[in-house]
Amino acid sequence: MSAYDTVEDFEETDNREIFLDDIAYQDTPTLKPLTLLFFVLMIGAAFFLVDHSFNASTYFRKVHALETEANRTADRIEAVNLVSTPMRLLLGGLGVWCLFNAPRNNLRWGGMILFSFLLYMSFLAISLTWSVNPRVTIQKLIVFSMMSIAAFGLARRLSLQDLAKVFSIVCLFYIFGGLAIEIFLGNFRPHLADYRFVGTAHPNSLAAYGTVCCLAAPVFTKRGASVSYLTIAMVVIGIMVLLATKSRTTLAGLIFAVLATRFITFKPNNRIFGVSFMLLIFVAVGMFLSVARNSTLNSMGDAMAMGRTEDVGSLTGRLPLWEELMVAIEKRPVFGHGYLAFWEKDRIEHLYDLLGWEIPHGHNMYLDLLIDGGVVGLSLFLFYLLVSLSVSFSRYLKHRDIGVAFVFGMLLFALVHGTGESLFKLPTFLLFIIVTSTLRLGALPRGPIRVLATQPSPNQNLNTAASDSGENP
């Protein structure tokens, strides 16, 4: 049965037909706790063993303290990871199992989201013909293909709210697992001014996981009920992780995503008021900055930098990097260098020697897309994201599905986050969240997701029943 089994869980309403119709359009939770835990463990293990390291916090501390000149990113480019291949196959196998074991439903495959995604994937595959490093492109295409198969399977098997729960719980495992490992290794030192929470990944990755927890938090509250303690806990944990990692781009992305997601819940008249209020705030801030003292502005700048005042003028070394990347983009502006072919060992070591810090990617999703696929690749990927954003926006306005709001928030977060990081463009857990959620969104029918039946009673209570087994939409 759905998480919203009967309307007895809600307040009485005079317009029961509209109420039932609203429920019928919700992509509501269907997984039992043990099944949800199974997906959490499978997905969490698959990405953890590939993208995480138990020694990440020690390595990050040594690099920050200039105690090592090792370039782990360059070394891993040509290293053979004996664990990654089985984990990729495990992830793809999970997707195949979901594809063939999903219940019958009325999902509508073939919409604009699926079309735009397949168009982008096809372009990446074709980029092999002009790739500057075909071997790397083939390897990364296989990785992306395994991830996409898993995304298709999960999109067919799990509802949007189930996906939000699974992804946020996986993020919680990464966060608390990383905290435990830092404590065990003696690297958990929040009292130090230059401390950043690393866990088993990188501060910017952990901060993005905290954002996922914040955006997914509402799905842990039943519809029509007051905010649950679990929802509050998810938000608190997410914000604490953001503060501990000191990731400024991620914080800006979260603020924008939350405000925009909240904004679409307003009625049309209230939206006009909201826009006017925000404009008033901008004017007030501008007036304050024009009359504030320099000492006050400096203190505010330090606060906005979250204590990381080194190289603020160069965006922590990003501006010199972007200048170097623009030179490479100008050489192949239309079709790029091929999917992830640019980031080879020699080039990573050259950038390290030139700029003095380890560079795993372009730290800008849009520049990285230009490097990989040129203007064509960037346009296709943005087309996919913007189509998904438009569908999520219109569907949420019609049906108020909190799972759709999660997708909307994640897409906005990815677009803002991409101005300073490239994590949502790489075949990692964060891109997997986007692809799986948008594929599920694109497959939802325009009509009701499930057929609801009414059972008359003396109290005129209305019960809902799924058109299939009652277990899955």
Side-chain angles (χ1 to χ4, degrees):
M1 292 295 290
S2 163
Y4 315 130
D5 291 334
T6 68
V7 295
E8 293 174 350
D9 298 327
F10 309 102
E11 295 180 358
E12 291 290 335
T13 176
D14 293 332
N15 198 342
R16 291 185 174 86
E17 291 183 1
I18 294 179
F19 180 72
L20 278 177
D21 181 69
D22 188 44
I23 293 179
Y25 283 90
Q26 305 292 315
D27 199 16
T28 52
T30 60
L31 292 183
K32 296 179 180 179
L34 288 179
T35 308
L36 186 143
L37 180 61
F38 165 77
F39 283 108
V40 167
L41 293 177
M42 292 288 286
I43 296 172
F47 283 101
F48 180 86
L49 295 174
V50 174
D51 299 329
H52 293 247
S53 171
F54 290 105
N55 296 319
S57 59
T58 299
Y59 177 79
F60 185 84
R61 177 176 57 80
K62 289 182 178 180
V63 169
H64 191 72
L66 302 179
E67 296 177 2
T68 179
E69 295 182 357
N71 191 333
R72 185 179 61 172
T73 300
D75 295 336
R76 287 192 302 181
I77 289 294
E78 296 183 354
V80 178
N81 189 338
L82 299 178
V83 177
S84 63
T85 299
M87 290 301 100
R88 303 295 188 191
L89 293 175
L90 173 66
L91 193 63
L94 177 64
V96 173
W97 179 82
C98 289
L99 284 173
F100 288 97
N101 289 275
R104 290 182 300 172
N105 50 45
N106 61 340
L107 296 179
R108 181 177 57 91
W109 298 97
M112 282 299 296
I113 292 180
L114 179 61
F115 170 76
S116 60
F117 176 72
L118 292 178
L119 189 63
Y120 175 66
M121 280 200 66
S122 301
F123 175 79
L124 295 184
I126 297 173
S127 73
L128 178 63
T129 60
W130 63 78
S131 172
V132 297
N133 194 335
R135 181 180 63 85
V136 172
T137 298
I138 291 176
Q139 292 176 347
K140 298 304 180 181
L141 283 173
I142 294 174
V143 170
F144 194 23
S145 298
M146 290 294 101
M147 192 183 76
S148 299
I149 292 173
F152 273 106
L154 290 172
R156 177 170 165 76
R157 178 68 176 81
L158 278 64
S159 71
L160 282 177
Q161 295 188 36
D162 285 326
L163 289 173
K165 288 183 178 180
V166 169
F167 293 147
S168 58
I169 295 175
V170 169
C171 289
L172 282 180
F173 274 115
Y174 290 161
I175 291 169
F176 285 105
L179 177 62
I181 291 173
E182 274 205 9
I183 294 174
F184 177 76
L185 296 176
N187 295 326
F188 183 67
R189 305 171 182 178
H191 57 282
L192 299 180
D194 60 349
Y195 170 79
R196 296 182 69 190
F197 180 39
V198 178
T200 56
H202 186 277
N204 295 334
S205 298
L206 265 293
Y209 299 156
T211 299
V212 174
C213 292
C214 291
L215 295 177
V219 303
F220 292 93
T221 295
K222 286 188 176 182
R223 178 180 173 146
S226 57
V227 179
S228 68
Y229 289 112
L230 185 55
T231 293
I232 297 174
M234 294 288 286
V235 173
V236 171
I237 292 171
I239 293 176
M240 290 180 66
V241 170
L242 280 168
L243 296 177
T245 56
K246 299 179 180 178
S247 180
R248 297 162 296 202
T249 305
T250 307
L251 179 60
L254 172 63
I255 293 173
F256 182 80
V258 170
L259 289 178
T261 304
R262 183 61 182 167
F263 179 75
I264 66 174
T265 64
F266 294 162
K267 296 179 180 179
N269 293 336
N270 291 339
R271 287 183 206 146
I272 297 175
F273 172 77
V275 171
S276 303
F277 182 71
M278 285 189 288
L279 290 175
L280 181 62
I281 291 178
F282 283 131
V283 171
V285 170
M287 294 178 63
F288 172 77
L289 293 177
S290 64
V291 300
R293 296 180 178 179
N294 290 332
S295 59
T296 303
L297 295 177
N298 291 334
S299 299
M300 291 177 60
D302 292 342
M304 293 178 64
M306 300 180 73
R308 298 168 57 201
T309 56
E310 70 282 359
D311 296 326
V312 173
S314 64
L315 299 181
T316 323
R318 283 175 170 81
L319 291 182
L321 170 62
W322 293 345
E323 291 176 358
E324 292 295 321
L325 296 183
M326 285 303 300
V327 174
I329 291 171
E330 290 173 357
K331 294 179 179 179
R332 288 171 170 252
V334 180
F335 296 109
H337 294 72
Y339 183 55
L340 292 178
F342 179 82
W343 297 100
E344 55 187 4
K345 182 176 181 179
D346 292 340
R347 184 169 281 111
I348 293 174
E349 290 179 340
H350 168 70
L351 290 174
Y352 178 82
D353 294 336
L354 182 66
L355 302 176
W357 56 290
E358 185 175 337
I359 302 171
H361 48 73
H363 285 275
N364 185 295
M365 180 177 71
Y366 305 99
L367 291 182
D368 260 328
L369 287 167
L370 285 170
I371 288 176
D372 280 0
V375 175
V376 177
L378 173 64
S379 300
L380 290 176
F381 189 74
L382 288 181
F383 177 62
Y384 160 61
L385 291 184
L386 294 177
V387 165
S388 303
L389 188 68
S390 175
V391 173
S392 62
F393 178 76
S394 60
R395 188 172 184 92
Y396 184 80
L397 289 183
K398 290 179 180 178
H399 309 304
R400 306 294 179 181
D401 189 340
I402 198 64
V404 176
F406 168 73
V407 182
F408 180 78
M410 284 299 302
L411 288 168
L412 287 176
F413 172 65
L415 290 169
V416 176
H417 188 266
T419 59
E421 296 293 337
S422 301
L423 298 179
F424 281 98
K425 171 258 175 195
L426 302 172
T428 61
F429 179 56
L430 293 173
L431 179 60
F432 182 70
I433 293 176
I434 293 292
V435 173
T436 309
S437 301
T438 54
L439 288 178
R440 176 70 183 191
L441 172 67
L444 294 180
R446 295 179 180 176
I449 299 175
R450 59 185 58 80
V451 178
L452 302 177
T454 59
Q455 296 180 356
S457 66
N459 296 326
Q460 294 183 341
N461 290 327
L462 304 175
N463 296 330
T464 65
S467 59
D468 53 5
S469 63
E471 286 278 324
N472 298 282

